[in-house]
Amino acid sequence: SSSSGDEALRDKRARIMSRGLPKQKPIEGVKQVVVVASGKGGVGKSTTADILTITFLFLTQTKEVGLLDADIYGPSIPKMMNLKGNPELTSKNLMRPLKNYGIACMSMGFLIEETAPVVWRGLMVMSAVEKLLRQVDWGQLDYLVIDMPPGTGDVQLSVSQNIPVAGAVIVSTPQDVALLDARKGAEMFRKVHVPVLGLVQNMSVFQCPKCKHETHIFGADGVRDLAKTLGLDILGDVPLHVNIRETCDSGQPVVISQPQSDAAKAYLKIAMEIVRRLPVAPA
């Protein structure tokens, strides 16, 4: 019948495609990888990745945590983590991550001038990502958080297919145009068999510092509605607050400089939800 013929054709295509996929190889010394992604830029993904990484360290205390900035064209982690300089090389010619707040960090921003643009084609970008993953002496990490570039391109596919990823976190604002791309991001991870741990609704509400009136500048509950549509969890809401921006720009993230603030508590809740959803790490 035509249906059985179509099924046989799909099976054949699946077998051919599976041959071309690279075999996943863990990063030496890293137990679990969590990727923080977004469908589009400007939704606070890097800020979320930066603050969540530090929160993981505070939350677990005895764990070792690292942060990889995989955004080759627009690395922002060096500024947010208040780090400058070039990585030293080990005797095995591996780059040694720079550290601040107890977090081992690696970024293209450590390898180029701060104002220099990266004008590379895809193959060079992929080579750089591979070096940032494999040619770094991460030591022994319980968690490596990867700040992904926005979108659903080569870097996302390469990371997802080359290393085992414990889970992905999707960041979006409640705005309709952001939600369209966030959905694409979630669907992409599902297609490459990366568990989506949940969605973060960023810039969810703005509270006037004078009168305390709350305004949903980017809309209300858009990410929650998307989570329901996709059958995913909402990990938490982060308000639109000037302190989050100011503290990240100064390299003193809000969970360190203002740990008792509502913003810091929001990130702590999200980090707890992520850790709770992760599989048990190998011993």
Side-chain angles (χ1 to χ4, degrees):
S1 67
S2 61
S3 60
S4 60
D6 289 344
E7 190 173 338
L9 183 60
R10 283 196 296 271
D11 288 343
K12 185 177 180 180
R13 282 177 181 163
R15 287 197 301 272
I16 292 171
M17 288 184 69
S18 66
R19 285 187 213 139
L21 291 178
K23 289 185 178 179
Q24 288 187 336
K25 181 184 174 186
I27 302 171
E28 188 173 347
V30 177
K31 289 183 180 179
Q32 290 191 310
V33 174
V34 177
V35 299
V36 179
S38 66
K40 71 188 299 293
V43 298
K45 167 189 55 62
S46 292
T47 299
T48 302
D50 172 50
I51 297 176
L52 284 180
T53 305
I54 297 171
T55 310
F56 280 159
L57 192 65
F58 290 170
L59 188 64
T60 55
Q61 294 183 346
T62 59
K63 304 290 186 182
E64 293 291 329
V65 183
L67 176 60
L68 170 61
D69 186 353
D71 193 345
I72 303 300
Y73 292 117
S76 51
I77 293 304
K79 183 173 181 63
M80 290 183 178
M81 290 296 288
N82 197 25
L83 287 168
K84 285 186 178 180
N86 302 116
E88 296 177 356
L89 293 178
T90 68
S91 57
K92 295 182 179 179
N93 214 32
L94 298 175
M95 293 182 287
R96 189 172 282 123
L98 276 64
K99 274 196 167 188
N100 196 11
Y101 306 122
I103 306 289
C105 300
M106 182 51 62
S107 170
M108 179 57 66
F110 299 146
L111 308 176
I112 60 172
E113 291 294 326
E114 188 175 15
T115 57
V118 177
V119 188
W120 289 352
R121 293 188 184 275
L123 286 175
M124 294 180 70
V125 173
M126 301 314 300
S127 175
V129 170
E130 182 68 14
K131 287 178 181 176
L132 291 175
L133 288 171
R134 305 287 184 193
Q135 295 184 23
V136 175
D137 180 10
W138 288 108
Q140 297 297 315
L141 294 182
D142 295 284
Y143 302 109
L144 175 64
V145 177
I146 301 182
D147 175 25
M148 299 284 250
T152 54
D154 288 343
V155 173
Q156 287 84 351
L157 284 173
S158 181
V159 169
S160 302
Q161 293 175 349
N162 280 284
I163 63 173
V165 178
V169 175
I170 309 292
V171 180
S172 180
T173 63
Q175 190 177 3
D176 286 350
V177 292
L179 295 169
L180 287 171
D181 291 334
R183 179 168 190 161
K184 293 174 186 175
E187 296 288 9
M188 184 213 72
F189 284 116
R190 282 177 163 175
K191 282 191 175 182
V192 294
H193 308 296
V194 170
V196 179
L197 302 175
L199 280 67
V200 173
Q201 182 162 256
N202 199 25
M203 308 183 200
S204 59
V205 65
F206 172 74
Q207 185 184 72
C208 175
K210 293 184 178 179
C211 69
K212 305 303 179 184
H213 176 72
E214 292 189 346
T215 304
H216 296 277
I217 293 175
F218 295 106
D221 293 330
V223 179
R224 291 183 178 278
D225 294 339
L226 177 61
K228 287 179 184 176
T229 301
L230 295 175
L232 294 171
D233 294 326
I234 190 84
L235 299 171
D237 295 74
V238 179
L240 177 63
H241 202 291
V242 67
N243 285 358
I244 298 175
R245 195 271 303 165
E246 287 177 344
T247 53
C248 273
D249 282 353
S250 67
Q252 297 177 316
V254 68
V255 290
I256 288 175
S257 55
Q258 301 173 18
Q260 299 305 315
S261 65
D262 289 342
K265 290 174 183 176
Y267 283 112
L268 178 62
K269 175 184 178 296
I270 293 167
M272 290 172 66
E273 291 294 328
I274 292 171
V275 171
R276 191 167 66 84
R277 285 166 172 77
L278 285 171
V280 177

